[in-house]
Amino acid sequence: MNKLQRLLQSKILILTICAAGIGGTFQYGYNISIINAPTSYIQTFMNKTWLERTGVPLESNVILLLWSFTVSAYPLGGLTGAVVAGPMAIVLGRKMSLLLNNVFVIIAAILSGFSRMAKSFEMIMLSRFFTGMNAGVSMNIQPMYLAESAPKKLRGAVALTSASFTALGLVLGQVVGLRELLGGEESWPFLLASNVVPALIQLTALPWFPESPRYLLIDRGDKESCISALQKLRGNSDLSAELEEMLAEQAAVKGQRAKNPWELFQNPALRWQLMSIVVLSSAMQLCGNDSNMIIDYAGRRPLLLGGYIFMAGWAIVFMVALSQQTQISWMPYLSMACIFAYILSFGIGPAGVTGVLPTEVFDQMSRPAAYMICGSLLWFNLFLVGTAFPFIVKSLAHFCYVPFLVVCICTALYVGFFLPETKGKSFLEISEEFKRRNFKAQTHGVFYKGPEEIKSTML
Ligand SMILES: *[C@@H]1O[C@H](CO)[C@@H](O)[C@H](O)[C@H]1NC(C)=O
């Protein structure tokens, strides 16, 4: 309860979270969800439009193909968004990027809102691409913005709110997509364009809140703005310790500029950090997500480890249940329970932690590039799983969970053996810990020695 109280004390921080979330990861969930309800209406629209243009109707498999283009435009846009998010976050700052990101949604809403009037289903595809771009940008920048703005003790819980907003978006999208609201035959253009509402809310709310203090100090070198942002975010608590920590981080990265993803791959000092986020964000994209305050109590490692082990366990039970489905009458209920347990294990552990991790294991200069890599993997895998899953089901039948099971087990092994705990540590402490790991293997070899390594052998 102590944590909750502390969070409630800093009202500005909570409002910042809401303002960032409503136009950020909320949109990701909302836009995934609203496309489901009008599927058949849009397919009919495609058929009708084609008939009017050419005089012949579309065959049903061509309609399906067009529809799958429309659906996959979203993750493709997301991938694009994830790639532009890095430079945006560095050049414009975290807050300004989030604000500007709404332009994509507004373009998307105009395109989809007028698509029926213009008799063009291509506009819907393009609109889905822009919607995806918006989600790609906010999925990367929002956790970074929030985790950088939060005090160390609350970093996990605050970054986890991103996942809650996604869940909220998913639910609200389902609700708005009900036939009684905007899910009717005639109202689908309004349903698709309704994502402009959260964008407008964010455009009016977010400008009132401060930019990430870390960005102001470390990227911009603007100490005064940093202090004033920090004061707004923390209320009247004592800032000196936190400011000192930030100044230390600023001194540590002095003279460096923000890195690009390629530089991360080349830098031996970042090898394990990179490996960790690559493994974890690849493992991420298996199912939905949820959120929990547990993260700051339990530590990151137990949540990831436990989450993936449980998921592996549930996947095994699920496969057994599926294969016995026809013989034993209560087996379908067991399979259903397994799916929920699987999603729950994912939501409590891996879903949230994976979003925070890039902020924690990379320093200020590498962070945007790290999120670019994570985000690209996330969207690429979403696309991959979405495309491949029907085929996996077709060829493996009851055993369609085997590939996911393998992923869960491998990820649990990776976390168990290689990932250090990052809970409650300052960014500098975390980077020291990784430094030891990155250069441990080389002390006995003839490989490259980092300057830190040489220094520590001299001491
Ligand atoms: C497309 O429209 C034509 C003409 O209205 C109709 O006969 C056909 O069933 C439609 N195709 C599909 C797949 O809905």
Side-chain angles (χ1 to χ4, degrees):
M1 273 302 85
N2 198 0
K3 272 206 176 107
L4 200 59
Q5 277 167 2
R6 214 172 320 147
L7 192 61
L8 288 174
Q9 269 166 9
S10 42
K11 248 182 275 158
I12 299 290
L13 183 61
I14 295 183
L15 292 174
T16 308
I17 292 171
C18 295
I22 186 76
T25 47
F26 174 85
Q27 290 277 34
Y28 166 67
Y30 187 76
N31 286 306
I32 281 187
S33 166
I34 55 171
I35 195 72
N36 296 320
T39 303
S40 64
Y41 307 137
I42 296 177
Q43 290 178 351
T44 310
F45 168 71
M46 287 171 166
N47 191 6
K48 215 175 90 194
T49 318
W50 195 260
L51 185 66
E52 281 175 24
R53 276 189 211 167
T54 65
V56 279
L58 284 169
E59 281 178 37
S60 68
N61 53 358
V62 179
I63 294 182
L64 264 187
L65 190 69
L66 285 177
W67 180 247
S68 78
F69 283 153
T70 312
V71 171
S72 57
Y74 187 69
L76 284 183
L79 190 61
T80 318
V83 171
V84 300
M88 266 174 96
I90 297 164
V91 176
L92 302 169
R94 306 345 181 192
K95 184 176 101 171
M96 191 45 103
S97 304
L98 285 178
L99 282 172
L100 209 65
N101 190 23
N102 290 304
V103 172
F104 297 130
V105 174
I106 293 173
I107 296 175
I110 292 172
L111 284 170
S112 59
F114 289 104
S115 58
R116 185 169 59 190
M117 210 184 278
K119 296 192 188 334
S120 160
F121 54 82
E122 294 85 353
M123 282 165 73
I124 304 177
M125 293 179 192
L126 207 57
S127 133
R128 289 303 287 178
F129 181 82
F130 279 110
T131 315
M133 259 184 102
N134 166 271
V137 169
S138 54
M139 291 282 279
N140 275 7
I141 299 185
Q142 185 189 324
M144 180 157 50
Y145 173 54
L146 294 181
E148 285 178 4
S149 302
K152 187 168 72 188
K153 290 253 168 55
L154 292 174
R155 203 166 53 207
V158 166
L160 259 188
T161 58
S162 302
S164 324
F165 275 100
T166 304
L168 189 67
L170 283 169
V171 173
L172 218 67
Q174 294 291 344
V175 173
V176 176
L178 289 175
R179 199 170 313 227
E180 292 72 24
L181 294 170
L182 288 178
E185 167 114 46
E186 289 308 307
S187 47
W188 61 262
F190 302 106
L191 177 62
L192 292 188
S194 63
N195 55 13
V196 77
V197 176
L200 294 179
I201 296 177
Q202 181 173 63
L203 277 174
T204 39
L206 192 61
W208 301 96
F209 299 104
E211 173 62 279
S212 144
R214 267 169 205 285
Y215 173 78
L216 290 171
L217 182 71
I218 302 171
D219 288 66
R220 285 276 167 82
D222 187 347
K223 194 171 166 187
E224 266 160 46
S225 311
C226 163
I227 293 176
S228 98
L230 212 51
Q231 272 165 347
K232 272 191 213 149
L233 286 168
R234 302 285 181 275
N236 24 5
S237 55
D238 182 25
L239 302 176
S240 53
E242 197 172 358
L243 197 62
E244 209 166 288
E245 207 177 272
M246 265 188 230
L247 284 169
E249 197 183 336
Q250 186 195 23
V253 299
K254 207 172 180 69
Q256 299 177 22
R257 51 172 186 79
K259 296 189 179 70
N260 64 41
W262 183 235
E263 288 169 312
L264 297 196
F265 282 111
Q266 288 174 322
N267 190 343
L270 296 176
R271 197 176 316 137
W272 282 110
Q273 288 93 317
L274 202 59
M275 185 74 157
S276 302
I277 61 156
V278 165
V279 169
L280 293 174
S281 39
S282 306
M284 238 309 255
Q285 215 32 264
L286 295 181
C287 49
N289 55 48
D290 209 304
S291 109
N292 214 301
M293 289 284 277
I294 292 179
I295 183 169
D296 277 320
Y297 293 100
R300 318 292 191 246
R301 268 171 52 88
L303 284 179
L304 281 171
L305 199 57
Y308 278 114
I309 290 175
F310 269 109
M311 282 163 76
W314 292 121
I316 293 173
V317 181
F318 184 49
M319 284 188 296
V320 173
L322 272 185
S323 60
Q324 300 300 315
Q325 198 114 303
T326 43
Q327 278 93 337
I328 305 171
S329 64
W330 49 268
M331 274 297 167
Y333 299 104
L334 183 61
S335 351
M336 192 110 92
C338 283
I339 294 180
F340 280 118
Y342 188 81
I343 294 177
L344 209 64
S345 310
F346 180 72
I348 289 175
V353 180
T354 307
V356 200
L357 217 61
T359 300
E360 295 196 327
V361 303
F362 284 97
D363 67 21
Q364 191 79 14
M365 294 298 125
S366 314
R367 202 170 288 142
Y371 267 103
M372 271 166 79
I373 297 171
C374 278
S376 310
L377 280 171
L378 187 143
W379 289 98
F380 176 74
N381 289 327
L382 183 67
F383 181 72
L384 203 69
V385 172
T387 325
F389 195 65
F391 298 99
I392 296 178
V393 171
K394 211 171 171 185
S395 56
L396 295 179
H398 301 326
F399 298 106
C400 61
Y401 263 63
V402 169
F404 300 138
L405 175 64
V406 173
V407 170
C408 289
I409 292 174
C410 294
T411 313
L413 286 175
Y414 180 85
V415 174
F417 285 113
F418 300 117
L419 193 74
E421 182 56 78
T422 52
K423 170 197 165 196
K425 291 182 184 151
S426 78
F427 290 119
L428 269 185
E429 285 163 353
I430 295 171
S431 105
E432 283 301 316
E433 183 139 346
F434 270 105
K435 208 173 273 170
R436 280 199 295 278
R437 263 159 215 257
N438 284 317
F439 293 109
K440 190 170 63 186
Q442 291 163 7
T443 27
H444 307 294
V446 289
F447 302 107
Y448 164 82
K449 273 194 175 186
E452 295 82 2
E453 178 68 17
I454 294 167
K455 223 184 327 174
S456 69
T457 32
M458 273 161 46
L459 286 174

